[in-house]
């Protein structure tokens, strides 16, 4: 069975600080990887995704993630966070038809 | 509509009551997914449909949970004889393509239905 682990439950940063959120998954085969974001009062929405090819994936709002197959990791990064990045971030993996497995999420609070 | 809609947004049920949660996916989307999200946790897969066919229901926690999508569009998740442990946010998502093989389309999520069982 596939599983996803997000190491940080709550991260607090000041504006302009750099961000890295950890995500590790357990599954030995080919996977599709996703980061979703939920802003306060809004729906879950896709931030970025990896299917194949270049392991460095760029998403919306300056976010990027790097797939490191040997480490089973897909960490999310942003060089300089803004107050508007305050949200909950979920990593998800899909290893076979239909079923996606989500991590428990990381709450990011950015102080102005 | 522009996005996935769910109704009701909030539902309070007494233990033992039956509830029905509705999901209207984005028009034309082939695949539809249901997730359960408990407080402080990520969404947990319940079931998914490809058109009207329910292809995976391995995540349904018990036989009290039942989902249908009879015409390949609107879907209903029904919970019979609700229990307190059923309290959660139930999320619906749809995607335009077939949820098969190794490539999965982006899922578009609705706002969820928050179910509270007293």
């Amino acid at each position: 069975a596939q599983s996803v682990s997000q190491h940080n439950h709550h991260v607090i940063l000041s504006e302009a600080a750099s961000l890295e959120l950890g995500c590790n998954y357990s599954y030995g085969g080919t996977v599709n990887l996703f980061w979703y974001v939920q802003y306060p009062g809004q729906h879950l929405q896709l931030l970025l995704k990896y299917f194949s090819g270049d392991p460095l994936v760029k998403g919306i709002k300056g976010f990027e993630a790097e797939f490191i197959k040997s480490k089973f990791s897909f960490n999310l990064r942003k060089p300089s966070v803004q107050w508007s990045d305050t949200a909950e971030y979920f990593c998800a993996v899909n290893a076979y038809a239909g079923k996606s497995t989500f991590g428990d999420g990381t709450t990011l609070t950015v102080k102005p | 509509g522009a996005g996935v809609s769910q109704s009701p947004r909030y539902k309070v049920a007494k233990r033992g009551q039956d509830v029905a949660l509705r999901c209207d996916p984005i028009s034309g989307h082939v695949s539809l997914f249901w997730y359960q999200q408990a407080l402080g946790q990520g969404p947990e897969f319940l079931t998914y449909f490809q058109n009207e066919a329910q292809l995976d229901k391995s995540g349904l926690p018990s036989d009290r949970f039942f989902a249908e999508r009879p015409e390949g569009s609107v879907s209903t998740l029904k919970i019979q004889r609700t229990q307190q442990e059923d309290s959660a946010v139930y999320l619906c998502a749809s995607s335009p393509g077939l949820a098969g093989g190794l490539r999965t389309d982006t899922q578009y999520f609705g706002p969820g239905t928050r179910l509270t069982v007293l």
Side-chain angles (χ1 to χ4, degrees), chain A residues 6 21 35-37 47 63 76 85 87-90 105-106 108:
Chain A
Q6 292 184 239
L21 300 182
W35 275 97
Y36 286 88
V37 61
L47 201 53
F63 285 90
L76 181 70
D85 293 325
E88 190 157 19
Y89 293 81
F90 293 92
T106 297
L108 171 66

Side-chain angles (χ1 to χ4, degrees), chain B residues 7-103:
Chain B
S7 60
R9 291 292 313 279
Y10 304 90
K11 177 69 179 178
V12 178
K14 291 183 179 178
R15 194 163 64 96
Q17 278 186 331
D18 297 349
V19 298
L21 312 180
R22 177 187 169 107
C23 172
D24 284 82
I26 294 172
S27 178
H29 277 196
V30 170
S31 298
L32 184 145
F33 306 81
W34 283 99
Y35 294 87
Q36 179 190 60
Q37 186 175 19
L39 192 62
Q41 297 183 17
E44 295 237 2
F45 171 85
L46 293 177
T47 185
Y48 96 91
F49 293 84
Q50 202 168 88
N51 295 308
E52 69 278 6
Q54 188 174 21
L55 297 189
D56 188 340
K57 55 182 181 179
S58 63
L60 295 176
S62 77
D63 59 7
R64 296 186 294 103
F65 287 71
F66 172 75
E68 59 182 6
R69 194 186 185 199
E71 297 178 358
S73 177
V74 171
S75 178
T76 303
L77 176 67
K78 297 179 180 177
I79 310 173
Q80 297 177 323
R81 304 182 304 281
T82 53
Q83 304 294 314
Q84 284 190 322
E85 60 263 28
D86 299 335
S87 295
V89 175
Y90 290 85
L91 296 170
C92 176
S94 68
S95 68
L98 300 177
L102 291 173
R103 189 176 183 95

